[in-house]
Amino acid sequence: MTAKNLNIQDFLNQDEKKDLLRILTAGSVDDGKSTLIGRLMFDSKMIYEDQLAALERDSKRIGHAGEDIDYALLLDGLKAEREQGITIDVAYRYFSTNKRKFIIADTPGHEQYTRNMVTGASTANLAIILIDATKGVITQTRRHTFLVSLLGIKHVVLAVNKMDLVKFDQKIFDDICEDYKNFVAQLDIPDVNFIPLSALKGDNVVEPSAHMPWYKGKCMLDFLENVHISSDRNFDDMRYPVQYVLKPDNNFRGFSARVASGIIRKGETVMVLPSKKTSKVKSITTYDGELDEAFPPQSVTVTLEDEIDISRGDMLVYPDNLPRVERHFESMLVWMDEKPMDPTTHFIIKHANHNTKARIDKIQYKVDVNTMAKSNIEFFNLNEIGRVVLTTNKPLYFDPYKKNKATGAFVLIDPMTHNTVAVGMIIDKLSSDNLPSRITEDEREQIRQGIGLVPTEQYEKRYNQKGATIWVTGLHGSGKNEVAFSLEKQLFEMGATVVLLDGSSVRSGLSKELDYSPTDRAEHLRRVAEVARILNDQGIITICSFISPDKEIRKQVAKIIGEDRFHLCYLQADLDFCKNNKAEFYNQENLSYVPGIDIQFDEPENAALQLLATDNSRNAELIIEYCREKGIFPL
């Protein structure tokens, strides 16, 4: 069919069948990324007349190309970008030729915009890394190449730009290529190509350059139109992560998703993870009708011959080709949040269509993206990259990222802000020798000494409080329990982690065999003190409501708990008030061992707080204010 009789529908059908190439451009400031893309669009006739007129006008007003048209203005859309002549945000541009469609991501070259480059590179098939011929291979070149390798881009074009400024010298081009080859040899990039060009002048961009007869390779557009990428996809390992259960009526139940990798075929036996139940594929349905097979990146709906419980996040695979099913794995991580990483946070991990909780158990090392040097750190800051060990609440079904991008990539989401804080590329499952649950020799020694493995600082950070004991004392009927229970409720509502111990509860269990004699009372309070100490060691606020009449016993209790963590609150009330408040107790016959009656009650002389029983409604609030002033809660 000739162009003359090609109607619009035929043209659209033909255009739809064109292959799509996603391109990433990267380079240092002023290497000419935006200029190259603008030139590609201009020379391939993808700029409309009004755009061209505006470009010519803007080039004279704010351009950085002298008397020439500044093609970078086609992409530098932000005001700050145009004023400085640099790229800050990722700019996506679409254009097509007779052979192929292209989506180009123009990414910033500055180190502080590493996360922007990672975003642009996440879907790219090919990377164009620009080098200024007058500068050669520099630190930014190595950084961008490392990121390209990290993200699994298999095709790289080293575009040596500004050859016009070095008089199209072949030796300079060859020296740059040799220098780059020596560096890239240590990275996993299978296909590296080199093209000398001048983006501003148009040499080797769309047409071969007359100024470089010594270069026998393809020009940039010719290379981009013909580079082979279809084999980059994984067609061996069938992975179908269910996104949506489609049930429009009682007669149809399908499972919709995009095929992540491999080929799913009608009639084949598939296994559902995590249940491991099997069935056969009954049909593969699309909007245009049924298919016999589906492959990436098609989105289809699959039905099975058997009724199996399947929900979003489950994965269909072939029984003889299973992914890793693990909770512990190693990954390369790129931190993308402006807020530094909190090692105690339990993040939401989004992997394929599966969400669960995850924590970062260990940072193996941080990689300096400029020098490739490794270093030990406690947490990540914005744009930092490193190797980590992660543990998830539920098992993930994954493949190593190098083998399968679709099932080897994930994002971490902050559970509070719901910001995407990091992206990760799974290396592999963790060997049993390196599982985070393994105990080191130093930790074994701590266990032998009865010392916990969680530092006090981590408890304080997690709970936003210090472990402390609020010991409320006073006579029978003074209102101790009313204060203690009210205090527990208010602290809990404020977000504190708190435990309440009172005389009746402890005597009904832990001290069940003890009576109220001075000796047994001392043992009873010793037990309470030991429990409070253990709870305080684990960062928990303990509220204790006990008469504890003997000042020497109170001193022993304070020593067991730790005098810096023991806070005595004395609820003052005379005996007449107590008898009126708790008449049913004091009216009993044959009372014995009752403080204030037949046993002395030593009024505390150095209590942290003196509270009035006659104004009991405010006492819980006074203790909370005391906790705030003493830095107990909140921190």
Side-chain angles (χ1 to χ4, degrees), residues 200-225:
L200 186 63
K201 304 296 184 182
D203 292 272
N204 273 346
V205 178
V206 172
E207 299 292 340
S209 171
H211 297 106
M212 292 178 279
W214 45 266
Y215 174 70
K216 305 301 181 184
K218 296 178 179 179
C219 63
M220 181 62 73
L221 184 61
D222 188 17
F223 177 84
L224 296 178
E225 284 183 326

Side-chain angles (χ1 to χ4, degrees), residues 420-558:
T420 297
V421 296
V423 296
M425 288 68 67
I426 297 174
I427 297 170
D428 209 338
K429 68 177 183 179
L430 206 60
S431 66
S432 58
D433 292 337
N434 294 319
L435 286 176
S437 58
R438 303 284 289 191
I439 298 174
T440 66
E441 283 301 321
D442 289 342
E443 290 173 336
R444 285 195 180 92
E445 183 58 33
Q446 281 184 248
I447 293 170
R448 281 192 285 268
Q449 296 177 25
I451 301 172
L453 301 183
V454 181
T456 301
E457 298 77 23
Q458 289 191 21
Y459 280 125
E460 291 177 359
K461 198 167 187 178
R462 171 68 61 84
Y463 297 142
N464 191 34
Q465 65 187 39
K466 289 183 178 179
T469 295
I470 309 298
W471 191 282
V472 184
T473 187
L475 293 172
H476 271 298
S478 61
K480 298 184 307 301
N481 281 359
E482 183 181 328
V483 172
F485 278 80
S486 177
L487 176 63
E488 180 202 24
K489 181 182 179 184
Q490 291 185 47
L491 285 174
F492 176 79
E493 289 174 346
M494 292 170 65
T497 303
V498 60
V499 170
L500 172 64
L501 303 173
D502 70 285
S504 299
S505 300
V506 175
R507 283 193 176 277
S508 66
L510 185 62
S511 299
K512 193 173 185 178
E513 82 284 8
L514 302 179
D515 59 26
Y516 292 89
S517 66
T519 303
D520 278 11
R521 189 188 295 276
E523 171 60 18
H524 165 61
L525 294 177
R526 186 195 68 79
R527 294 179 185 182
V528 172
E530 293 290 355
V531 173
R533 178 186 62 80
I534 292 170
L535 292 170
N536 290 169
D537 286 345
Q538 296 178 15
I540 297 170
I541 295 173
T542 309
I543 302 170
C544 297
S545 176
F546 296 91
I547 297 175
S548 47
D550 192 319
K551 65 180 179 180
E552 294 302 321
I553 298 300
R554 289 198 296 264
K555 287 180 181 179
Q556 292 176 24
V557 166

